[in-house]
């Protein structure tokens, strides 16, 4: 979906507008509460649009706000065409959308169509009888004589991925919670209903979709029979996405739309197919390779140390793989990941330095950056010490499963302290006021105690040490410099365990990014790049730490971007 630009993103060639855009993810439940019920809502979002406009972001991605029983924080949708009263009304949504557009920004919705809520009318019909016309809209399997499950698949939220429905005596598939039955994308009527719903949202004015686990949708009989989740990359996905493009996006003229597919398990080769504009499938994908490097093979809660060389190899491979065809999304955090400054940086003495270093490294890669709410001020992990503080179904189910398997409470809580999705789901810290200015009521989840000093007001008043201001400058650079938007990427020093260094080149424009990914000073080798051997002091485009002119020493967590 490409066309001329409007708003902040200013493409410098006929490249798609989103190649110079930045997306901001709002997870509404914890963003801002407008009515004092302790849960974030549309009114709260409207009250903070100025913050996003000041930041300079081009697109807002709203995590689900549809009607939902909230079994998985809204990723279990019971009515795609209505707003859950928890967040507001359709009229309030229309007002929000108008204000977002009025500020020159765009808004994309979270499309969750791998599954619905078990309280969706479609599932109520499907489960009502074996011969209901919507029976085949979901994935059902008969019981076997020996009582075994249809496959050995496990739910992402612990336990088997099959639930026995007593009424009709068959199993239904749920790759996530039992309250999230998987849709059957082999069924053309179901696909048509999804396309119609998507068209209604685009007709309403939304500017695209983030598509939840969209690479899980093609559960062909063969992949289901395979016994292993072969469906994760079943080739039929391409057929579904190309059909979706024809039915939903192709007739939209010069609308500036954007689509991003969340794809756990996707590889670079797959992504070149999904994001090749010539194939009319998606604009970009969220891949998971780099955020799965610090976990064990059996469980995401098996935390293992991250080697910077592994991260550089992974991100470098994605930069190289999509350099000619396709496009990268760029993220380090979201509502499913721990806070990036706690996970990859130092959320203590060097929180400002490491938060800004991480931002500069990410935003100066080639791709579309995604800023997760609160990361623009360097918010940190929640630091919960009791299971009672957790709200996330994945964390609570794993806690129960791990204890049942013999793990100690202390070990489980330690793993959750690092990895739980709730780390990124505590309320955004707006001020030092009660509940961090998030709500006038009782917040649905604990507020991070560091909100007294770590909050938007304090950060934006901190001048040279404002994380927000640093993000603002990075986002502006992507609007201003073609080399940031489209420059070729080249990794340097791939085997160095503390330095993250790379260049971006476009014509005679060249940037050298130097990041000390450690808590100790780092002495640069002048042999790293000709820019470091020049007599003249190179122009410093971005820096997060004061340094002497031409200094070859990087302070702990210092990032320095030189214009060659
Ligand atoms: O996440 C899907 C996903 O692949 C997992 O990373 C998930 O986040 C979880 O951590 C399993 O380990 C998407 C949404 O982003 C997530 O919030 C939802 O819970 C999930 O799909 C189901 O809709």
């Amino acid at each position: 979906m490409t066309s001329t630009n409007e708003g902040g993103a200013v493409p410098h060639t006929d490249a798609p507008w989103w190649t110079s855009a930045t997306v901001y993810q709002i997870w509404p439940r914890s963003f801002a509460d407008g009515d004092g019920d302790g849960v974030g809502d549309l009114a709260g979002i409207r009250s903070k649009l100025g913050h996003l406009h000041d930041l300079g972001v081009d697109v807002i991605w709203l995590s689900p706000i549809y009607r939902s029983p909230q079994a998985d924080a809204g990723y279990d949708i019971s009515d795609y065409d209505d707003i859950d009263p928890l967040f507001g009304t359709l009229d309030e949504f229309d007002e929000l959308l108008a204000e977002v557009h009025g500020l020159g920004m765009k808004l994309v919705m979270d499309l969750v169509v791998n599954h619905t809520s078990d309280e969706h009318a479609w599932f109520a019909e499907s489960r009502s009888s074996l011969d209901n016309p919507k029976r085949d809209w979901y994935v059902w399997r008969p019981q076997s004589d020996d009582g075994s499950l249809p496959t050995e698949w496990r739910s992402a939220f612990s336990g088997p991925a099959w639930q026995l429905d007593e009424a009709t005596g068959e199993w239904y598939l749920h790759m996530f919670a039992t309250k999230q039955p998987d849709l059957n994308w082999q069924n053309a009527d179901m696909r048509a209903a999804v396309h119609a719903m998507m068209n209604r949202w685009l007709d309403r004015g939304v500017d695209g979709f983030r598509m939840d686990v969209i690479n899980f949708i093609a559960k062909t009989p063969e992949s289901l029979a395979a016994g292993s989740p072969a469906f994760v990359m079943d080739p039929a996905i391409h057929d579904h996405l190309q059909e979706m493009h024809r039915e939903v996006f192709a007739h939209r003229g010069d609308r500036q739309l954007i689509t991003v597919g969340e794809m756990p398990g996707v590889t670079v080769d797959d992504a070149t197919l999904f994001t090749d504009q010539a194939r009319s499938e998606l604009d970009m994908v969220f891949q998971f390779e780099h955020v799965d490097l610090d976990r064990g093979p059996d469980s995401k809660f098996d935390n293992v140390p991250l080697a910077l060389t592994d991260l550089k190899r992974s991100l470098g491979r994605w930069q190289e793989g999509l350099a000619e065809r396709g496009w990268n999304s760029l993220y380090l955090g979201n509502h499913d990941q721990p806070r990036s400054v706690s996970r990859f940086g130092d959320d203590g003495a060097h929180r400002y330095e490491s938060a800004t270093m991480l931002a500069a490294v990410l935003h100066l890669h080639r791709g579309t950056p995604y800023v997760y709410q609160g990361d623009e001020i360097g918010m940190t992990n929640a630091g919960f010490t009791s299971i009672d503080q957790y709200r996330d179904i994945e964390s609570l189910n794993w806690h129960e499963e791990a204890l049942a398997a013999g793990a100690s409470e202390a070990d489980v809580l330690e793993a959750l302290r690092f990895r739980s999705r709730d780390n990124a789901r505590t309320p955004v810290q707006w001020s030092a006021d009660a509940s961090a200015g998030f709500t006038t009521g009782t917040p649905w989840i604990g507020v991070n105690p560091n909100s007294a000093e770590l909050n938007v007001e304090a950060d934006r008043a901190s001048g040279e040490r404002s994380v927000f201001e640093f993000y603002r400058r990075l986002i502006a650079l992507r609007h201003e410099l073609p080399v940031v938007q489209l420059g070729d990427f080249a990794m340097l020093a791939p085997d160095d365990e503390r330095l993250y260094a790379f260049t971006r080149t476009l014509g005679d424009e060249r940037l050298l990014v130097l990041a000390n990914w450690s808590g100790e000073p780092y002495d640069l080798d002048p042999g790293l790049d000709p820019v470091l051997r020049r007599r003249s002091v190179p122009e410093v485009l971005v820096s997060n730490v004061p340094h002497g002119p031409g200094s070859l020493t990087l302070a702990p967590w210092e990032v320095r971007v030189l214009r060659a």
Side-chain angles (χ1 to χ4, degrees):
M1 280 64 77
T2 64
S3 77
T4 54
N5 69 288
E6 62 191 21
V10 185
H12 298 274
T13 69
D14 61 355
W17 63 272
W18 29 259
T19 57
S20 61
T22 298
V23 182
Y24 186 96
Q25 180 192 357
I26 290 179
W27 196 72
R29 180 178 274 271
S30 291
F31 185 69
D33 173 19
D35 64 5
D37 67 354
V39 178
D41 49 34
L42 301 185
I45 295 171
R46 284 179 66 190
S47 74
K48 301 299 182 184
L49 287 182
H51 172 78
L52 303 182
H53 190 246
D54 291 348
L55 188 58
V57 296
D58 305 277
V59 183
I60 296 169
W61 152 29
L62 261 188
S63 278
I65 53 173
Y66 315 94
R67 273 194 188 275
S68 161
Q70 301 293 320
D72 180 20
Y75 281 89
D76 51 314
I77 295 169
S78 56
D79 184 348
Y80 289 107
D81 289 293
D82 199 8
I83 304 299
D84 195 283
L86 199 58
F87 301 119
T89 65
L90 275 170
D91 287 344
E92 287 182 271
F93 174 80
D94 290 339
E95 289 161 4
L96 171 66
L97 184 60
E99 283 190 36
V100 167
H101 285 164
L103 289 168
M105 296 185 284
K106 303 177 190 322
L107 187 145
V108 304
M109 297 289 268
D110 209 318
L111 183 75
V112 186
V113 290
N114 173 69
H115 49 270
T116 69
S117 164
D118 64 346
E119 297 182 28
H120 194 291
W122 295 350
F123 189 66
E125 288 184 56
S126 179
R127 75 187 317 176
S128 64
S129 71
L130 292 175
D131 59 3
N132 181 283
K134 286 192 175 61
R135 183 69 177 184
D136 188 43
W137 284 33
Y138 292 83
V139 183
W140 294 94
R141 287 293 180 275
Q143 294 186 71
S144 58
D145 296 339
D146 65 4
S148 62
L149 296 176
T151 68
E152 291 309 307
W153 299 348
R154 305 289 293 170
S155 155
F157 297 158
S158 304
W162 297 93
Q163 176 70 18
L164 184 62
D165 188 56
E166 301 292 349
T168 55
E170 291 198 333
W171 302 97
Y172 69 82
L173 178 67
H174 61 89
M175 292 312 296
F176 294 94
T178 52
K179 286 185 69 65
Q180 292 171 292
D182 281 54
L183 285 164
N184 173 20
W185 276 73
Q186 302 302 309
N187 185 290
D189 292 340
M190 189 289 289
R191 299 199 306 270
V194 167
H195 299 154
M197 174 269 291
M198 293 176 71
N199 276 311
R200 288 193 291 273
W201 282 109
L202 292 185
D203 294 345
R204 201 174 195 103
V206 303
D207 303 291
F209 298 98
R210 176 267 189 184
M211 301 186 189
D212 193 62
V213 285
I214 199 67
N215 63 321
F216 282 23
I217 61 176
K219 301 172 186 77
T220 58
E222 296 72 25
S223 59
L224 281 165
S228 67
F231 60 78
V232 168
M233 287 317 297
D234 188 301
I237 297 169
H238 297 290
D239 301 333
H240 294 323
L241 290 175
Q242 289 177 15
E243 179 189 55
M244 181 188 284
H245 186 271
R246 289 194 300 273
E247 298 299 323
V248 178
F249 298 107
H251 61 281
R252 294 288 169 178
D254 64 355
R255 285 273 300 271
Q256 278 194 330
L257 302 176
I258 181 172
T259 56
V260 53
E262 185 206 28
M263 295 196 168
V266 69
T267 65
V268 173
D269 290 344
D270 300 321
T272 52
L273 297 178
F274 286 119
T275 64
D276 179 352
Q277 287 293 301
R279 293 170 56 89
S280 298
E281 294 184 18
L282 296 170
D283 295 324
M284 57 195 88
V285 300
F286 286 137
Q287 56 97 3
F288 280 63
E289 216 177 84
H290 63 308
V291 292
D292 280 345
L293 291 171
D294 58 357
R295 54 164 283 178
D298 302 324
S299 164
K300 68 179 285 187
F301 294 102
D302 174 15
N303 302 318
V304 299
L306 170 69
L308 181 64
T309 49
D310 290 345
L311 182 67
K312 293 194 288 187
R313 227 182 319 278
S314 174
L315 290 177
R317 183 166 53 248
W318 278 86
Q319 289 287 303
E320 188 177 343
L322 297 182
E324 301 303 325
R325 190 170 64 138
W327 192 253
N328 273 293
S329 70
L330 306 171
Y331 76 96
L332 288 177
N334 59 39
H335 64 294
D336 293 331
Q337 301 293 334
R339 284 286 179 186
S340 50
V341 71
S342 299
R343 180 184 195 176
F344 300 111
D346 167 0
D347 60 8
H350 290 104
R351 185 184 63 79
Y352 164 78
E353 290 81 358
S354 60
T356 48
M357 183 277 289
L358 292 170
V361 168
L362 188 76
H363 282 248
L364 293 174
H365 274 63
R366 190 173 189 269
T368 298
Y370 285 71
V371 179
Y372 178 60
Q373 66 181 38
D375 281 352
E376 76 275 20
I377 60 168
M379 277 180 63
T380 66
N381 274 356
F384 290 160
T385 55
S386 159
I387 195 62
D388 299 336
Q389 294 174 282
Y390 288 91
R391 297 290 179 272
D392 172 29
I393 184 171
E394 179 188 54
S395 300
L396 295 170
N397 286 4
W398 179 71
H399 171 263
E400 186 180 340
E401 180 185 62
L403 292 186
S408 72
E409 180 81 13
D411 288 350
V412 171
L413 288 175
E414 185 50 32
L416 288 173
R417 272 171 63 87
F418 179 83
R419 181 75 61 177
S420 170
R421 303 191 301 180
D422 278 335
N423 278 306
R425 299 181 174 190
T426 60
V428 172
Q429 296 160 199
W430 297 102
S431 73
D433 297 342
S435 297
F438 161 72
T439 180
T440 56
T442 303
W444 71 282
I445 188 172
V447 173
N448 193 313
N450 64 19
S451 64
E453 63 279 347
L454 202 178
N455 58 70
V456 169
E457 277 179 12
D459 180 277
R460 293 190 66 174
S462 57
E464 276 305 302
R465 291 180 64 80
S466 164
V467 180
F468 177 93
E469 179 54 29
F470 196 87
Y471 267 86
R472 193 196 61 73
R473 291 208 312 273
L474 291 170
I475 293 165
L477 275 182
R478 182 169 294 278
H479 291 152
E480 294 158 12
L481 297 184
V483 67
V484 174
Q485 175 196 0
L486 297 171
D488 293 338
F489 177 97
M491 187 70 80
L492 302 179
D495 299 326
D496 190 301
E497 295 177 356
R498 293 201 297 139
L499 179 71
Y500 199 124
F502 58 89
T503 61
R504 299 289 308 279
T505 307
L506 186 70
D508 55 5
E509 273 282 277
R510 186 168 180 274
L511 301 181
L512 171 62
V513 180
L514 302 164
N516 177 2
W517 200 295
S518 81
E520 301 300 326
Y522 181 93
D523 293 327
L524 289 163
D525 172 359
L528 179 72
D529 188 277
V531 174
L532 302 180
R533 299 192 291 277
R534 282 201 193 131
R535 289 184 187 285
S536 62
V537 176
E539 177 192 350
V540 177
L541 191 65
V542 174
S543 167
N544 64 345
V545 174
H547 56 274
S551 157
L552 288 181
T553 298
L554 295 176
W557 305 103
E558 177 180 355
V559 62
R560 204 182 298 174
V561 181
L562 306 181
R563 205 174 210 160

